Amino acid sequence: MDFNEVMQHKNIDFSHTETSYFLLGLLSAFDNRFQAVADKMIGEISWKQFFAIICINLCKESPTIKELAGIMGSSHQNVKQILLKLEKKGFVDILTDEKDRRKQRVVLTKYCLEFCNANDEKSALAVNTMFEGISIEQLQITIHTIMQMEDNLKKL
């Protein structure tokens, strides 16, 4: 039974806790399905590797691995493994920071930038299709909700 079927079911009155668990399950299931579709679409690299590239692009300067792990919401070790695979495929360079030799900075390669440019149109089409029929107000409420959940998660 999918979400719409559950919500249309006449006799179901979710409590706040039940609705919260349902949302968490829905987010997890969506993440799994999205990752499978994205992995197939991207092809050459995995969604998690592509997400790392997106996060690197968000930074004004080349991030350290620790900074990137914070942005991605993942451990330093997991991000390092993702970056090593990207480095092996020619998408990133991991360089020693010039000011602090203990830090490593991540830089996108020319090959990576060319890959991103070549896939921009396909990526935009996929995102537009996925968010079709969803208003900006719905997106803003969803973003606000997830950010509040993220803040609350930090309290645990």
Side-chain angles (χ1 to χ4, degrees), residues 69-81:
I71 294 167
M72 292 178 67
S74 192
S75 71
H76 183 278
Q77 293 85 351
N78 285 345
V79 172
K80 178 79 178 210
Q81 290 305 309

Side-chain angles (χ1 to χ4, degrees), residues 73-134:
S74 192
S75 71
H76 183 278
Q77 293 85 351
N78 285 345
V79 172
K80 178 79 178 210
Q81 290 305 309
I82 290 168
L83 293 173
L84 289 173
K85 289 175 184 171
L86 284 170
E87 186 177 44
K88 196 172 193 176
K89 294 177 181 183
F91 283 82
V92 300
D93 287 323
I94 302 171
L95 308 171
T96 302
D97 185 275
E98 293 175 5
K99 296 175 186 168
D100 185 346
R101 304 204 49 79
R102 296 171 295 174
K103 295 179 182 179
Q104 292 181 301
R105 296 209 172 263
V106 186
V107 179
L108 299 177
T109 63
K110 182 180 176 191
Y111 177 76
C112 180
L113 298 175
E114 290 169 355
F115 175 86
C116 290
N117 286 334
N119 287 286
D120 268 354
E121 194 173 312
K122 182 170 68 169
S123 178
L125 178 64
V127 169
N128 289 337
T129 300
M130 191 166 56
F131 287 96
E132 191 174 299
I134 300 171

